[in-house]
């Protein structure tokens, strides 16, 4: 019931026009009953009785009724199709808005293929329901009830015997089909989501698949996913085969019965030939809907299964709640305090444990540690992509949970290690999220990121279209573009997540110099495995297994003999002796 209520709630704002079209559809559905009666008059009064003067008026009436039905039918189908398309647009926008509001933890647990299915196939099933299924269900029901009522009042009782036996059974089987096939359609859509996920992953990771010669294994994964989908489709078909032969052949059974019984009544003088022709038409109006109910039950089950999945998505609670009250400030300064912060992904062991540190606005902070040590977790928490399990994070002295999300994230720019570029021009990729940027601003950011020179060497310069995820560009070029995007944002807090890992040392030094010129008064976080990237930071935090094990400036950490010192000596082993006193040789 909840599903049906939600489904028809989607008509909000369109109910009057939609239900008016349905009402007109009901009216024109009664016209075939009138046509059948006029055909009876032609047979009995014109052909048999020879009253030829009635032929022209009856033909004109039939033509006018048919013209009226066609005209109204066109309007009705225009309205219901337009309504279905509008609902599809609204639901898809509503679903996409919901996806954009979900935190990272939701996407960590949900398959991309499942979300794609909900946003495409499931939404289209809802459109199909309002554009075709619901109207057809009403139309066929009017045919069925109108013809049945007419026959009950005008036909010989012999005609009603077959209907009394077959129709309850047919209705029962149509309802049984609907309830039997619905759970199977849920399974079908789940397996379709798995199939989409396998296809999406292989399309996106085709270079990885080929690089590791995994084509055979991935083909087997696709074969298994396709086989499971096929088998479940067969299960649906098996249910159909159980009910549809009877439902599909009702018309033939009724027609044979009508010819035999009607023929006897005509020959014995108890029924006219016109009545037989009319009742034969009525039989088709009764049996046709009974056959259609089987197909409609299938479509309704499909729609309800898809609607349930969309309801699940739209009702998914957002763990990170935006603040409704207006923020105190439109932009943050960049003072950050972590106070005994602990956090674990999806209830797992803490990725960050009892972290405490203070960052003054304008400081540059280096984060270094092995993979999985908690470096990126700190950034995710500062951006409030996740909420802490314990402790508190203060931004400019205010609890991060009391800061408007748009204000918070609008003051932070992240140049990510996992570079993502859209299938668009380089200009649009750099300006992503900064619609106010002029060409001068874009070029300035590109120059600061050392990207301008290679951009100008491309065929169309800044108007060059890059492939999906930056296909066609080198790793270093992609990193410089994502860095330019972050710089153009002009944030209060800039995060460089291993952004220069694919760059040579000289380019990295040039970029760092540019950053010091442009962001000398901004708070900057530098995540890196390279000592050269963090050596000049005001404060360096060393993380191991979620704990901050060392903190301080570069020289202090080198002298401390801990993890940082070991990494330094490994990367600069040939200059290790220079650390015994004075300025390091590699800084001279």
């Amino acid at each position: 019931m909840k599903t049906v209520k939600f489904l028809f709630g989607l008509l909000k704002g369109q109910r009057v026009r939609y239900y008016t079209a349905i009402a007109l559809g009901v009216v024109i559905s009664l016209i075939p009953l009138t046509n059948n009666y006029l055909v009876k008059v032609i047979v009995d009064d014109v052909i048999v009785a020879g009253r030829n003067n009635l032929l022209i008026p009856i033909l004109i009436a039939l033509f006018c009724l048919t013209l009226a039905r066609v005209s109204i039918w066109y309007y009705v189908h225009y309205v219901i199709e337009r309504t279905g398309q509008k609902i599809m647009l609204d639901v898809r926008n509503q679903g996409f808005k919901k996806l954009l509001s979900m935190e990272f933890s939701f996407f960590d647990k949900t398959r991309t293929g499942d979300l794609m299915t909900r946003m495409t196939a499931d939404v289209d099933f809802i459109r199909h329901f309002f554009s075709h299924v619901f109207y057809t269900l009403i139309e066929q029901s009017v045919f069925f009830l109108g013809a049945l009522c007419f026959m009950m009042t005008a036909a010989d009782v012999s005609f009603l015997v077959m209907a009394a036996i077959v129709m309850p059974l047919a209705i029962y089987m149509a309802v049984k089909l609907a309830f039997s096939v619905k759970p199977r359609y849920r399974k079908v859509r789940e397996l379709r989501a798995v199939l989409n996920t396998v296809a999406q992953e292989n399309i996106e990771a085709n270079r990885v698949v080929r690089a590791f010669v995994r084509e055979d294994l991935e083909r087997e994964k696709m074969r298994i996913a396709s086989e499971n989908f096929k088998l479940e489709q067969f299960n649906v078909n098996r249910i159909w085969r159980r009910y549809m032969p009877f439902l599909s052949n009702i018309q033939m059974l009724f027609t044979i019965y009508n010819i035999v019984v009607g023929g006897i009544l005509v020959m014995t003088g108890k029924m006219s030939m016109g009545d037989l022709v009319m009742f034969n038409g009525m039989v088709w109006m009764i049996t046709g809907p009974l056959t259609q109910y089987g197909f409609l039950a299938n479509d309704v089950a499909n729609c309800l299964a898809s609607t349930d999945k969309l309801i699940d998505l739209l009702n998914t609670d957002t763990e990170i709640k935006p603040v409704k009250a207006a923020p105190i400030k439109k932009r943050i300064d960049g003072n950050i305090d972590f106070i005994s912060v602990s956090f674990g992904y999806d209830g797992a062991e803490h990725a960050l444990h009892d972290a405490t540190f203070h960052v003054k606005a304008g400081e540059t902070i280096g984060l270094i540690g092995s993979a999985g040590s908690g470096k990126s977790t700190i950034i995710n928490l500062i951006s409030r992509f996740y909420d802490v399990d314990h402790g508190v994070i203060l931004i400019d002295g205010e609890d991060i949970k009391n800061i408007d999300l748009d204000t918070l994230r609008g003051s932070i720019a992240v140049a990510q290690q996992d570079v993502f570029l859209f299938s668009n021009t380089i200009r649009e990729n750099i300006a992503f999220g900064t619609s106010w940027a002029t060409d001068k601003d874009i070029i300035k950011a590109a120059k600061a990121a050392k990207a301008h020179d290679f951009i100008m060497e491309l065929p169309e310069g800044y108007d060059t279209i890059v492939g999906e995820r930056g296909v066609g560009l080198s790793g270093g070029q992609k990193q410089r573009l994502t860095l330019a995007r972050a710089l153009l944002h002009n944030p209060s807090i800039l995060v460089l997540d291993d952004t220069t890992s694919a760059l040579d040392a000289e380019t990295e030094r040039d970029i760092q110099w540019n950053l010091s010129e442009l962001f000398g008064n901004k708070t900057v976080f530098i995540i890196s495995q390279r000592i050269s990237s963090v050596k000049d930071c005001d404060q360096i935090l060393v993380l191991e297994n979620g704990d901050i094990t060392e903190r301080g400036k570069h020289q202090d950490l080198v002298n401390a003999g801990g993890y940082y010192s070991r990494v330094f000596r490994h990367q600069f082993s040939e200059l290790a002796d220079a650390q015994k006193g004075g300025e390091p040789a590699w800084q001279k």
Side-chain angles (χ1 to χ4, degrees), residues 461-535:
Y462 282 85
D463 293 318
T464 301
I465 301 288
V466 298
E468 187 175 0
R469 297 186 67 88
V471 173
L473 299 176
S474 69
Q477 289 173 333
K478 288 188 286 187
Q479 284 191 333
R480 280 178 274 176
L481 289 181
T482 193
L483 176 58
R485 177 195 295 165
L487 298 180
L488 181 61
H489 193 62
N490 191 29
S492 298
I493 300 173
L494 174 66
V495 178
L496 307 179
D497 188 356
D498 217 3
T499 310
T500 58
S501 60
L503 303 180
D504 59 84
E506 182 180 354
T507 302
E508 182 184 25
R509 282 196 300 271
D510 291 341
I511 289 175
Q512 288 177 343
W513 188 87
N514 290 337
L515 291 179
S516 65
E517 290 290 311
L518 292 171
F519 287 87
N521 62 338
K522 308 289 186 181
T523 302
V524 179
F525 282 84
I526 299 177
I527 301 175
S528 182
Q529 298 288 347
R530 292 160 67 165
I531 297 295
S532 59
S533 297
V534 301
K535 64 181 178 60

Side-chain angles (χ1 to χ4, degrees), residues 130-143:
F130 286 105
S131 296
H132 173 73
V133 177
F134 183 65
Y135 171 76
T136 305
L137 186 63
I138 298 296
E139 178 189 53
Q140 296 298 315
S141 297
V142 171
F143 283 161

Side-chain angles (χ1 to χ4, degrees), residues 145-407:
L145 294 175
L148 182 62
C149 291
F150 190 89
M151 289 190 69
M152 289 177 67
T153 57
D156 189 279
V157 70
S158 305
F159 273 92
L160 303 178
V161 174
M162 184 69 168
I165 295 173
V166 174
M167 282 191 297
L169 181 60
I171 294 172
Y172 167 78
M173 295 185 75
V175 173
K176 185 72 173 176
L177 170 61
F179 280 97
S180 299
V181 83
K182 183 181 177 181
R184 288 298 181 185
Y185 272 118
R186 291 179 184 271
K187 186 65 176 178
V188 165
R189 72 161 310 287
E190 289 173 3
L191 291 174
R192 182 185 288 114
V194 173
L195 194 63
N196 287 343
T197 298
V198 174
Q200 176 258 333
E201 287 177 347
N202 276 275
I203 292 171
E204 187 172 324
N206 66 89
R207 285 168 173 75
V208 177
V209 172
R210 294 189 180 189
F212 286 87
V213 197
R214 297 262 300 183
E215 291 93 337
D216 291 342
L217 184 60
E218 294 304 315
R219 274 195 293 267
E220 180 63 14
K221 282 173 60 178
M222 176 58 79
R223 189 196 66 78
I224 292 173
S226 299
E227 183 71 19
N228 291 337
F229 182 74
K230 181 194 74 174
L231 290 175
E232 196 57 41
Q233 289 279 43
F234 275 144
N235 288 334
V236 172
N237 186 260
R238 187 174 66 249
I239 296 174
W240 267 63
R241 292 197 305 270
R242 190 184 307 161
Y243 297 102
M244 287 309 294
F246 175 78
L247 292 173
S248 298
N249 288 287
I250 288 176
Q251 287 180 328
M252 186 58 65
L253 293 173
F254 264 96
T255 300
I256 294 172
Y257 180 83
N258 185 44
I259 291 173
V260 172
V261 175
I264 293 173
L265 292 175
V266 169
M267 288 186 292
T268 57
K270 295 180 179 180
M271 177 186 289
S272 70
M273 181 61 70
D275 286 333
L276 178 60
V277 173
M278 180 182 67
F279 289 139
N280 190 56
M282 295 293 181
V283 165
W284 280 89
M285 293 179 67
I286 291 175
T287 57
L290 292 177
T291 301
Q292 283 291 319
Y293 286 153
F295 296 100
L296 294 173
N298 170 69
D299 288 340
V300 170
N302 228 333
C303 176
L304 293 178
S306 295
T307 304
D308 284 339
K309 282 297 182 181
L310 283 168
I311 291 174
D312 289 343
L313 172 63
L314 296 175
N315 289 343
T316 301
D317 190 35
T318 304
E319 297 174 8
I320 298 177
K321 305 292 184 183
V323 179
K324 294 183 180 179
I328 298 174
K329 294 189 289 187
K330 292 295 183 183
R331 193 168 180 86
I332 65 179
D333 295 327
N335 297 290
I336 301 171
D337 288 280
F338 271 53
I339 304 174
S340 301
V341 171
S342 296
F343 171 76
Y345 292 97
D346 197 23
E349 185 178 351
H350 282 151
L352 195 66
H353 181 261
D354 199 27
T356 299
F357 61 88
H358 172 69
V359 179
K360 294 180 181 179
E363 281 191 334
T364 299
I365 309 301
L367 300 178
I368 192 167
S370 58
S373 60
K375 305 185 298 297
S376 295
T377 298
I378 289 177
I379 305 306
N380 287 334
L381 294 177
I382 292 174
S383 300
R384 208 183 167 205
F385 294 137
Y386 302 88
D387 274 337
V388 301
D389 295 335
H390 304 287
V392 64
I393 300 175
L394 303 179
I395 305 290
D396 295 342
E398 183 77 24
D399 189 330
I400 194 172
K401 295 180 180 179
N402 296 329
I403 299 176
D404 178 73
L405 277 177
D406 289 342
T407 299

